[in-house]
Amino acid sequence: MKDINTLNEFQVYVRIGITVSCGIILSFIIGTIAWLEYRQESYLLALLQSFGTSKLILLIHTFFENFLLVTVGLFSALFSWEYIYDQLSSKISILTLQSAAQISIPQTDISILFIAASSSVLIAMFPIAIGLRKPPGLILQ
């Protein structure tokens, strides 16, 4: 029993490590997409600034846009994993897997994913925050 408990404890640490790694990857992917997206949107942001839109409004708009995308992605993953698990486990007849109704995602994993999603939204704000410091006239030339 001691070996089984040790194995279960090790499994928890490995699972948390995998979840943290996935969260870091999520943050970097969203941050990188934000950098690439800013190159395409810099002209639009400069144009909006030249029409009188404040930098704060543009920054808030970008925050809510990124927040909405990340939140929709997280909740769609959290609500669809049971269906995906059931579909995959029904195709694998060799393994005797439990129904997804009996399986739950540990709270620490969900917390780690929400922290990673929040940090990815903040990372995605860096290019806009840096880019809005440039005068619109330099970008619109």
Side-chain angles (χ1 to χ4, degrees), residues 42-58:
S42 62
Y43 185 80
L44 175 64
L45 290 173
L47 191 62
L48 288 171
Q49 272 186 303
S50 71
F51 289 147
T53 306
S54 71
K55 294 177 183 181
L56 181 64
I57 295 294
L58 293 173

Side-chain angles (χ1 to χ4, degrees), residues 6-74:
T6 304
L7 183 63
N8 284 339
E9 187 176 318
F10 179 72
Q11 182 183 16
V12 167
Y13 291 131
V14 169
R15 190 190 70 242
I16 289 173
I18 290 171
T19 306
V20 168
S21 300
C22 289
I24 291 170
I25 291 168
L26 169 74
S27 298
F28 282 134
I29 287 173
I30 292 176
T32 303
I33 289 172
W35 279 105
L36 295 173
E37 185 179 287
Y38 174 73
R39 287 184 176 198
Q40 293 179 352
E41 288 193 8
S42 62
Y43 185 80
L44 175 64
L45 290 173
L47 191 62
L48 288 171
Q49 272 186 303
S50 71
F51 289 147
T53 306
S54 71
K55 294 177 183 181
L56 181 64
I57 295 294
L58 293 173
L59 199 61
I60 291 171
H61 172 268
T62 304
F63 172 78
F64 280 116
E65 180 182 340
N66 289 327
F67 181 76
L68 179 70
L69 288 173
V70 169
T71 304
V72 167
L74 268 177

